[in-house]
Amino acid sequence: MSWALPLPVAIPLIAAALLVVGGEVLPRRVYDAIGIAAAAAATAFALLILQASERHDVLHWFGGWHPHNGIALGISFTVDPLGAGMAALACGLDLLALVYSWTFMRWQSQAFDVLMLTFGGAMAGFALTGDIFNMFVWFELMGVSAYALAGFMVEELGPLQGAINFAVTNTVGAYLILMGIALLYARTDALNLAQIGRTLERRPADRLVIVAFVLIVTGLMVKAAIVPFHFWLADAHAASPAPVCMLLSGAMVELGIFFIARVYWTVFAGPLGVHEAGVRDVLVGLGVTTALVGAAMCFLQRHLKRLLAYSTISHAGVMLAGVALLDPHSLAGVADLVLAHGLLKGGLFLICGIILVELRHIDELEVHGAGRRLPVTGVLWLVGTVGLIGIPPLGVFLAHQLLDEGGRAHGFGWLAAVGAVASGVCAGAMLRAGARIFLGWGAHEDHLLTPEPDEDAPERDVSLRLMATVAGVAIVLGLVVPLVPGLEARTQLAAERFADTSAYRAVVLHGAAHGDRAAHLSFSVLSVDTASALYGLAALAIAAATAAFGLWHRRLPGGLRRAGARTLWPPATVVRDAHSGIVGDYLLWLSAGALAVAALWALTL
């Protein structure tokens, strides 16, 4: 199966090149069909690689440059189930986005398909590579494609500003990562992840290694939209077409979290092992802050894509807190959360595209009650929202259950309550928006919500049936993730292999073989933990209360409203004002955040 590893990357990149060459002569339908076929082939090969990696890690050394006496000279794709699963998710979302765009984006330049294929190929390359510099290269190729896609409608001011904010902040993050990689190379003379980790493990972590760790993880937190490095995300989503938002929220942010986990376990787990508590405490703190700030900002939005973007930030915080627990059980929960969240959130962004086409606005107050004539779209919005709450046994529930168990094992049992509050508030904001748009509930005006520039609506000549079908497929798949027989056991085994750095190095540097433990796994159904089920129901209650407050807060007694305003409005105003949309402000927050993270780890490591 080694021969197949480059294909999920090579096929979309080659197809993109062919489309550039043939763009002027190929009919538009042939042009689109080539893009979709390439994305489908990449997805199929990624799934085959995932199936093969369940039994043992799969390697491909480019040019036949295999390690000699444990020294890696060449560049490899090194695939375990979590890496293969991430590649399959990225390729699958790219395929769904291109099918959705068949009519939704056909009036736009043909460069759209080229950029989407490049984006998909880069995401797959990032997930599969075993070389830290190649990870950086794939991440930057992904970023360049995403910057161009965010600013695709460059004739409008909003997309131009969003793309610039996105590009500038992420480029600063990239420089931090690159400086960290340079320090690691200076110390180890290696770029292969396994070889760097083996070299660093032989000595305690010194200042150079700690600085490299801080630079790389901080740069990755910019990519993963972790507070206070998150400001670019909402601007990028507001500026991007709906299919692009699907990739940004469904895969790109998650790849930043994946990189943090990969680089910690393969490179830094050995030298920083004695400082594990310090690493955990700082990352858990950042994850919790991100989850709560993202949820609060989500509630304050009336622009639907911004609302979903802040929900993504909140979920990224939960993912980071799960990785921060630094154990395979929690990592399995993060993997399940990435899968369910990517599909559900991707589907919800596609619903935003349908709303924009049919109702001509993306602002929940502007389209108050206008969605009554779109019952299917309304049902899909409700189903996608319910899937993100964490109620048993649907959507993100399995992920939350594993994260809850991991938190209790490390004395962080309160993380389950934080997750319930964050999920509940985000889902409540989505339920509020859905109730206003599709049922006409609540007031037509709401001073609590932040006014944002609306988005120009695309042409009406689209296939709504095709767009709704693609959105529905993504949402239904995300909803039934916990019900897949054997998924829980397989993600836990995959996470154990991901965290087994000794076995990883033996496979990469010496060609050792893993035992085939996957062959003994059963296809058992989900076993529901009572405590996690109660947290899921609590999140549902919080979501219902949040939605009701958002719709009818004017009906509260005057004294209660005034007391609430005195207590909550000042901090809400501070948080909202910080999201100014000015790139200089974002860079100031980024710099302050990087210094704060460095100071925290300087005190604890």
Side-chain angles (χ1 to χ4, degrees):
M1 200 65 200
S2 169
W3 57 271
L5 263 59
L7 296 181
V9 184
I11 291 173
L13 294 182
I14 292 172
L18 290 176
L19 292 182
V20 170
V21 174
E24 299 299 324
V25 295
L26 291 173
R28 183 61 199 238
R29 287 189 177 277
V30 174
Y31 188 95
D32 290 338
I34 290 174
I36 291 172
T43 305
F45 278 111
L47 290 172
L48 285 174
I49 293 167
L50 173 60
Q51 193 272 335
S53 68
E54 274 200 333
R55 297 184 176 279
H56 53 81
D57 288 356
V58 187
L59 277 81
H60 180 92
W61 290 96
F62 289 91
W65 288 73
H66 293 265
H68 184 68
N69 293 329
I71 305 297
L73 299 176
I75 296 171
S76 70
F77 274 181
T78 307
V79 181
D80 55 26
L82 291 193
M86 195 69 238
L89 175 64
C91 292
L93 292 180
D94 198 37
L95 172 62
L96 290 175
L98 280 168
V99 174
Y100 181 92
S101 306
W102 177 275
T103 58
F104 183 71
M105 297 295 294
R106 70 179 165 200
W107 70 93
Q108 292 291 348
S109 152
Q110 293 177 331
F112 181 80
D113 286 7
V114 173
L115 291 169
M116 290 290 280
L117 287 169
T118 308
F119 197 178
M123 287 191 290
F126 177 86
L128 298 179
T129 187
D131 182 286
I132 194 168
F133 187 72
N134 269 269
M135 272 188 147
F136 171 78
V137 171
W138 290 121
F139 219 152
E140 288 314 293
L141 179 60
M142 187 194 321
V144 169
S145 307
Y147 308 151
L149 286 165
F152 199 72
M153 290 176 280
V154 71
E155 65 276 7
E156 300 172 27
L157 179 60
L160 184 61
Q161 183 182 11
I164 289 174
N165 291 351
F166 183 12
V168 171
T169 52
N170 275 258
T171 300
V172 173
Y175 277 122
L176 296 179
I177 297 171
L178 190 59
M179 286 190 288
I181 292 173
L183 291 178
L184 288 180
Y185 185 73
R187 172 54 54 86
T188 64
D189 293 329
L191 292 173
N192 182 277
L193 288 165
Q195 191 170 331
I196 296 172
R198 189 185 63 181
T199 305
L200 293 181
E201 191 181 45
R202 296 169 180 165
R203 67 189 83 177
D206 56 17
R207 291 175 183 173
L208 184 143
V209 173
I210 292 173
V211 170
F213 174 72
V214 172
L215 288 171
I216 291 174
V217 173
T218 304
L220 291 172
M221 287 194 289
V222 176
K223 305 282 187 181
I226 299 301
V227 173
F229 312 111
H230 66 290
F231 293 93
W232 62 270
L233 188 81
D235 292 348
H237 280 74
S240 303
V244 180
C245 295
M246 183 185 203
L247 296 184
L248 294 179
S249 260
M252 185 171 177
V253 168
E254 287 80 355
L255 283 170
I257 302 289
F258 173 82
F259 198 166
I260 291 173
R262 174 71 83 191
V263 81
Y264 175 78
W265 264 289
T266 56
V267 174
F268 295 106
L272 295 181
V274 295
H275 304 290
E276 190 175 277
V279 174
R280 178 183 293 125
D281 291 346
V282 173
L283 290 180
V284 166
L286 289 167
V288 169
T289 304
T290 303
L292 296 179
V293 171
M297 285 301 298
C298 177
F299 178 78
L300 296 173
Q301 305 307 308
R302 51 191 273 190
H303 187 290
L304 292 181
K305 290 200 293 187
R306 283 186 177 273
L307 185 152
L308 293 178
Y310 281 112
S311 166
T312 296
I313 291 172
S314 181
H315 282 94
V318 175
M319 292 174 198
L320 181 65
V323 170
L325 293 174
L326 305 179
D327 77 285
H329 195 81
S330 305
L331 185 62
V334 175
D336 290 325
L337 183 57
V338 167
L339 176 60
H341 173 266
L343 291 165
L344 289 165
K345 190 60 66 65
L348 287 169
F349 272 112
L350 298 186
I351 294 296
C352 288
I354 296 173
I355 292 172
L356 186 60
V357 169
E358 282 292 285
L359 308 183
R360 317 308 290 170
H361 296 282
I362 200 69
D363 184 312
E364 73 172 70
L365 297 179
E366 292 287 342
V367 294
H368 186 281
R372 290 192 182 98
R373 60 187 174 85
L374 301 173
V376 174
T377 307
V379 170
L380 288 175
W381 181 272
L382 174 64
V383 172
T385 301
V386 169
L388 288 171
I389 294 176
I391 57 175
L394 302 171
V396 299
F397 173 73
L398 171 59
H400 281 212
Q401 177 168 296
L402 293 172
L403 291 171
D404 294 349
E405 292 168 354
R408 288 196 292 271
H410 291 281
F412 289 87
W414 51 271
L415 280 177
V418 172
V421 170
S423 299
V425 172
C426 290
M430 287 184 260
L431 288 175
R432 179 203 71 209
R436 267 208 177 95
I437 296 168
F438 300 106
L439 299 175
W441 293 359
H444 289 261
E445 296 294 334
D446 192 340
H447 68 281
L448 293 180
L449 305 185
T450 308
E452 296 286 349
D454 213 338
E455 183 174 338
D456 287 352
E459 300 290 335
R460 289 181 184 273
D461 184 20
V462 299
S463 172
L464 288 175
R465 182 172 299 177
L466 174 65
M467 293 163 62
T469 301
V470 175
V473 166
I475 289 172
V476 170
L477 288 176
L479 195 69
V480 301
V481 161
L483 304 178
V484 176
L487 179 67
E488 182 180 0
R490 279 162 174 75
T491 50
Q492 289 194 53
L493 176 60
E496 289 171 8
R497 284 175 52 188
F498 187 95
D500 188 351
T501 52
S502 299
Y504 178 84
R505 290 170 198 157
V507 169
V508 174
L509 300 178
H510 302 287
H514 267 306
D516 187 5
R517 286 185 287 170
H520 307 293
L521 291 177
S522 64
F523 288 90
S524 57
V525 296
L526 172 66
S527 174
V528 175
D529 174 68
T530 303
S532 295
L534 291 175
Y535 276 116
L537 294 176
L540 177 63
I542 293 170
T546 303
F549 175 77
L551 290 167
W552 297 298
H553 60 84
R554 289 184 176 181
R555 298 183 185 179
L556 292 172
L560 185 60
R561 279 191 284 127
R562 285 190 291 274
R566 282 196 300 271
T567 307
L568 299 177
W569 197 244
T573 302
V574 170
V575 173
R576 188 156 60 182
D577 290 348
H579 297 76
S580 62
I582 300 171
V583 68
D585 291 351
Y586 293 177
L587 291 177
L588 182 63
W589 280 106
L590 193 158
S591 304
L595 289 173
V597 170
L600 286 171
W601 268 324
L603 294 173
T604 56
L605 299 186

